[in-house]
Amino acid sequence: MQQQQLRTPDLVEGSLPVFVFPTELLFYADEQASHKQVLTLYNPYEFALKFKVLCTAPSKYAVVDATGAVKPQCCVDIVIRHRDVRACHYGVIDKFRLQVSEQSQRKALGKKEVMATLLPSAAPESPGSRPQEEERRMKEQLAESVFFEQTSFQSESRSGSGGPSLLTVLLGLVCMAALMLPTLGEQESTVPVYLHLSVNKKLVAAYVLGTWPVHAAMPVRASAACLKELLLCCRSSHHGHPAHVRRG
């Protein structure tokens, strides 16, 4: 019990030092590479921390993994992208706040604010404007700001599903075509006999088509399995065995 208290001391809310690098983010409109910045959060303590990224202007930035955890004596990189690079935002100072807390608690043990500024160019400014800029930054750093939760932005490798897959659409078209073909035994039909389907085959097609909205939400592998099951049912009915449709 005493060892646990030494590892996770009873800290006053907001008193835990937070180690973040860099302490300021500079985005340059004429440098595409600078539109993506990386904040590194360090955890030098012997207990795990969870973090949350807040921002005064969350709509202007995309933060990959705005919440997460840092293992003891480890660090984590937080990718921040500026997605509203316009001239009207030049010189505007926004703030990010990193709040950290213990894994089992909700109260913020510590916080660190990082300023973010969009500049038109990386070229050095005139010497006369530098003292005024420094003074403005100091005032902005001391001023109280309203922070909002930053929505996590999924990385490019996690592509969201944009509708039913091509295989799922093909499955629906095959079922519709099967229902439109004549039934085996019909005499007055111009369709070749080998395209006449038995009642069992049409029942299978009707069942799959009836559950097509469910299949549309399936991944490609599940849709392929469903199409394979349909073909197996058709083959079994062709050999005179009753087709068995698996539900669920």
Side-chain angles (χ1 to χ4, degrees):
M1 185 68 179
Q2 186 177 1
Q3 184 180 2
Q4 181 68 16
Q5 290 178 350
L6 291 175
R7 292 182 59 194
T8 56
D10 188 12
L11 294 166
V12 179
E13 185 172 358
S15 64
L16 184 73
V18 179
F19 300 92
V20 180
F21 182 83
T23 57
E24 183 179 11
L25 300 177
L26 294 178
F27 301 90
Y28 301 105
D30 62 346
E31 288 188 12
Q32 183 71 29
S34 71
H35 297 175
K36 172 186 173 182
Q37 301 281 346
V38 177
L39 276 178
T40 303
L41 174 63
Y42 297 90
N43 179 12
Y45 306 105
E46 295 184 3
F47 52 92
L49 294 174
K50 61 180 180 181
F51 68 88
K52 177 189 293 186
V53 180
L54 307 175
C55 184
T56 55
S59 61
K60 293 165 60 176
Y61 302 92
V63 179
V64 179
D65 298 330
T67 59
V70 194
K71 296 180 180 180
Q73 299 179 353
C74 292
C75 63
V76 64
D77 289 336
I78 304 169
V79 179
I80 298 177
R81 290 183 176 85
H82 202 305
R83 55 181 181 182
D84 195 5
V85 180
R86 290 184 293 168
C88 60
H89 296 316
Y90 290 170
V92 177
I93 298 177
D94 301 317
K95 290 182 183 179
F96 288 94
R97 174 180 288 175
L98 278 81
Q99 288 185 178
V100 299
S101 58
E102 195 182 348
Q103 287 278 20
S104 58
Q105 298 181 2
R106 288 189 175 184
K107 67 176 183 179
L109 294 180
K111 61 184 179 180
K112 180 74 172 181
E113 293 183 2
V114 177
M115 292 193 299
T117 311
L118 175 65
L119 300 175
S121 175
E125 299 178 355
S126 59
S129 62
R130 194 167 299 170
Q132 297 179 356
E133 182 66 22
E134 290 296 327
E135 183 180 358
R136 187 168 73 92
R137 288 179 180 275
M138 288 297 296
K139 289 181 179 179
E140 187 68 31
Q141 193 168 10
L142 296 174
E144 287 292 330
S145 304
V146 179
F147 288 86
F148 304 93
E149 286 199 17
Q150 181 73 52
T151 305
S152 290
F153 182 80
Q154 300 297 329
S155 60
E156 291 84 349
S157 60
R158 304 173 188 172
S159 57
S161 59
S165 64
L166 180 61
L167 188 60
T168 306
V169 175
L170 179 62
L171 176 63
L173 292 176
V174 168
C175 292
M176 285 190 289
L179 292 175
M180 294 175 64
L181 290 173
T183 307
L184 192 64
E186 290 185 10
Q187 301 296 330
E188 298 178 0
S189 176
T190 57
V191 179
V193 179
Y194 62 86
L195 289 178
H196 290 210
L197 299 181
S198 65
V199 176
N200 284 338
K201 291 181 182 179
K202 289 200 171 187
L203 285 175
V204 172
Y207 171 78
V208 175
L209 191 61
T211 57
W212 190 86
V214 178
H215 299 308
M218 287 183 177
V220 174
R221 186 175 298 178
S223 299
C226 185
L227 183 58
K228 182 179 179 181
E229 183 179 357
L230 174 61
L231 294 176
L232 288 175
C233 290
C234 291
R235 183 182 300 175
S236 63
S237 64
H238 176 71
H239 289 290
H241 301 293
H244 174 68
V245 180
R246 184 177 61 189
R247 298 182 180 273

